[in-house]
Structures are given as C-alpha cells and as structure tokens.
Amino acid sequence: MEQPNIFDYATSELSQDAFLCYLLAFGKEQYKKDFPKEYTIAHKFLAKCGIEKTEEILSIERQVEHIDVLIVTASHILIIEDKTYTNEHDDQIIRYVKNIRSNDKKFSGDKKIKVCYFKTGDYVKGYVPSAEQKVLSKKDCCSLKRDDMLELLENDYSCNLIFENFYKRLNSVKERIKACDDKDIYTWNTEKWFDYLYNALQGHNFNIGWVHNARGGFYGCWFDWHNVTGGEDYKQIEISFADGNTSQVKMCYKFSGKNKETTLNSNSLIKELQKKTIAKGFNASNRKGKTTTYAYKVASNINDIQNFINNAS
C-alpha cells in the first residue's frame, strides 16, 4: 500500500527549506556512525556545491540575513537560495553575499563563500551572477534542480522515510511529464509544457513564465527577439488551461515599442511584418498597446509548434 507523502501537503518553499536543513544536519560528525547513509548523502550534496565531501558541517541556520538556508563548514559558508516555482530577483544573492562579508562578528572572514541556487520546480536557467562579478564569481555558484536531487537520492533514499518522501514527490513530477509523451498536446499538463519548451528552445534566447489576466492567465514563452526600428520583434507561445489540461495553444508574432506611442507610430513597420506572417498561414491581429500582437495561429499539434520555433521570423 502506498503511504501518504508529507510533501504532498508540505509544498511551500519553507517546507523545502526545512527538508534541506534536515538532510544536511545528518552531515554533522555526530551522526556519521549511526546514520552512515544519511551522512554520505549530506556530504554528496556539499560536493555538488563545490565543497569537499570530507569537510565538517559546523552549523545550519534558516532565515539568517534573509538567506533561506545558511551552512557553515570548516572552511566555507554555503548560501542556499531555495526556489520551487519562483525565481531569483533584485540581485538578492549578491546582497546576501555582501551582508555575510560585512558581518565578521558572526562569520569568520577567512571562510570562502559558495552559493547554491536550488530549484525543484519549473526550471529555465541556472543562476549566474549578472552584476558585480568581483563580489561573486561564476565558479563559486552552482545551480541544483529536480534531476540533480533525484540523482543524489536515487540509490539510498530508502534509508530514511523523509528522504524517501522527498524523492518520491520529485519523481512523481518526472513521471507526470513522461506520461504525456506521445499524447495529443491538448492533454498535456503544465509540467510537460515547461519540460518540452525548455528542451525545444535550447540554442534560442528565451524565457518562460505564468502570465495573469482576467481570463485566468496562461503559460507564456517568449523567444527570438530581434531589434527593429522603434522596438523589438519577437515570438510568443501562449498556453491556456482548463481543469488541468491544455485548452488552447496560441502562436503569436509580437512587436514591442519603447512605449505605447512608439508602437502606435510604427504602423507601417507592423503592417510589413504582418504581411510576411500572413503569407505563412497566420491570421492578422491588431491588438494595440505598448506591445501588439500583429499575427497569430492556434496550434493543432506538436509539429505546428516545432515549425514555429524553428522557422526564422
């Protein structure tokens, strides 16, 4: 009989914080003898973050200096920024590093700082410090996602019921994605769409996220931006859902000006772009604003989407 899984109920990032603290607590020397498998898993996690497996874990704290999880080892401070379906914002990790370095009373100034961007939900890009490289170098950052945790736990998760629950929760997402393989796209769930788009758009400049609107919102995917006179031309895929399944997949060509006036004054350019896309079988659209959809088409199958992604604008 399948037992209840605590992570079916503890779904917040705070619950995931608690799990990470629990897992890493087994990495303390006092648990090495009686919990050898848990101890090994904790130190394998450190190794994935660029810290030697043999390094002793001294302390584990939550919500220190607004940091989700803070691990102090013999020679490192590990900052874990824990995300499920949200993303890093406002250079928050850079701020955390600065705060740690300025707090010499609490943290030894000679310890090396590492950062783990931990994301088990939908995943676009790993964390790379976009500003102030001298504060945090790329080599001191790692990004761990759902598959990394499944790999970490897959051989020994049964040693611990909480580890097993966490593994099964993550693996259930993987199984839901796999269950959509070779099925009509209008049966796909949100997780399958994210996985498909993430893989199909490798090599493209892209972003994926949820867009809220009065009709309930949609999953948006934006890619292939091109600078044109007065703004940018780009593609957008809009995926709407009803009762957990896909209800519409809309492929759009968009123009975005610096402001609404710029877009309104770009009618001749938009008409020219529109003419090219109509020739490809798209429908004309004239939704105006700072951003305008000038052509669209509803996808019938996966080939429609793949062609939309691969064909040049």
Side-chain angles (χ1 to χ4, degrees):
M1 181 184 296
E2 187 72 21
Q3 295 184 42
N5 188 320
I6 191 172
F7 294 106
D8 288 340
Y9 304 96
T11 57
S12 72
E13 287 174 358
L14 287 175
S15 298
Q16 192 161 265
D17 290 352
F19 171 75
L20 288 171
C21 293
Y22 174 78
L23 181 150
L24 288 163
F26 282 103
K28 293 182 177 181
E29 288 302 302
Q30 68 207 66
Y31 300 114
K32 185 176 182 179
K33 181 179 177 181
D34 293 332
F35 300 93
K37 289 186 177 180
E38 289 95 331
Y39 178 90
T40 298
I41 289 170
H43 284 267
K44 283 182 177 179
F45 185 98
L46 288 185
K48 284 182 176 288
C49 299
I51 300 173
E52 288 292 332
K53 290 182 183 179
T54 55
E55 195 155 321
E56 184 180 359
I57 295 175
L58 302 177
S59 67
I60 299 166
E61 298 187 67
R62 293 172 62 195
Q63 297 301 316
V64 176
E65 302 287 347
H66 304 289
I67 295 166
D68 292 331
V69 178
L70 185 70
I71 310 299
V72 179
T73 72
S75 62
H76 286 82
I77 293 171
L78 175 61
I79 295 170
I80 302 178
E81 180 61 18
D82 179 21
K83 302 291 187 184
T84 49
Y85 293 96
T86 57
N87 296 299
E88 197 266 347
H89 54 84
D90 301 326
D91 282 331
Q92 60 188 136
I93 292 177
I94 293 291
R95 286 188 282 107
Y96 299 159
V97 173
K98 286 182 174 180
N99 289 342
I100 290 295
R101 286 186 175 155
S102 65
N103 195 342
D104 288 334
K105 291 181 181 179
K106 186 171 178 65
F107 305 104
S108 174
D110 61 352
K111 290 186 186 291
K112 190 173 182 62
I113 295 177
K114 295 279 189 182
V115 167
C116 171
Y117 181 63
F118 187 82
K119 196 165 195 306
T120 55
D122 294 339
Y123 199 81
V124 180
K125 298 178 177 69
Y127 175 74
V128 175
S130 58
E132 302 191 61
Q133 297 288 342
K134 63 184 179 181
V135 174
L136 189 65
S137 68
K138 292 180 182 179
K139 65 183 178 62
D140 291 324
C141 303
C142 75
S143 297
L144 300 185
K145 53 187 183 291
R146 185 168 56 237
D147 286 347
D148 295 309
M149 286 305 291
L150 287 171
E151 180 187 25
L152 177 72
L153 294 168
E154 66 182 346
N155 293 323
D156 293 312
Y157 65 81
S158 60
C159 70
N160 182 294
L161 180 59
I162 300 298
F163 286 13
E164 182 176 353
N165 275 201
F166 192 75
Y167 176 88
K168 287 185 175 180
R169 172 69 177 178
L170 295 189
N171 196 55
S172 69
V173 177
K174 189 173 182 178
E175 291 298 319
R176 286 198 296 272
I177 292 169
K178 187 177 179 182
C180 294
D181 289 350
D182 303 320
K183 291 186 178 179
D184 186 279
I185 60 172
Y186 283 92
T187 67
W188 285 12
N189 53 42
T190 59
E191 295 152 336
K192 175 61 178 179
W193 273 113
F194 196 99
D195 184 72
Y196 166 75
L197 291 169
Y198 174 77
N199 289 292
L201 285 162
Q202 293 303 306
H204 296 254
N205 182 17
F206 72 97
N207 204 350
I208 308 171
W210 185 259
V211 177
H212 296 277
N213 63 22
R215 296 186 299 277
F218 60 87
Y219 228 165
C221 177
W222 309 271
F223 58 102
D224 289 358
W225 288 270
H226 300 287
N227 290 324
V228 293
T229 304
E232 291 181 312
D233 178 41
Y234 64 98
K235 296 177 184 176
Q236 178 171 307
I237 298 174
E238 300 177 4
I239 305 158
S240 301
F241 298 90
D243 299 324
N245 290 326
T246 306
S247 58
Q248 187 183 69
V249 183
K250 198 172 179 181
M251 305 174 294
C252 304
Y253 284 97
K254 312 275 284 189
F255 175 86
S256 179
K258 295 177 182 177
N259 49 52
K260 186 174 181 179
E261 289 70 28
T262 303
T263 302
L264 291 173
N265 292 329
S266 301
N267 279 335
S268 59
L269 172 62
I270 292 171
K271 289 291 184 185
E272 182 182 336
L273 293 169
Q274 190 179 68
K275 186 178 179 180
K276 292 178 182 178
T277 54
I278 290 173
K280 298 177 184 178
F282 281 72
N283 305 301
S285 177
N286 293 289
R287 273 177 21 204
K288 292 289 175 67
K290 180 179 180 292
T291 299
T292 185
T293 301
Y294 61 83
Y296 74 95
K297 181 179 180 180
V298 175
S300 298
N301 52 52
I302 197 64
N303 290 332
D304 286 345
I305 302 162
Q306 201 65 54
N307 289 335
F308 181 60
I309 290 171
N310 293 335
N311 291 341
S313 298

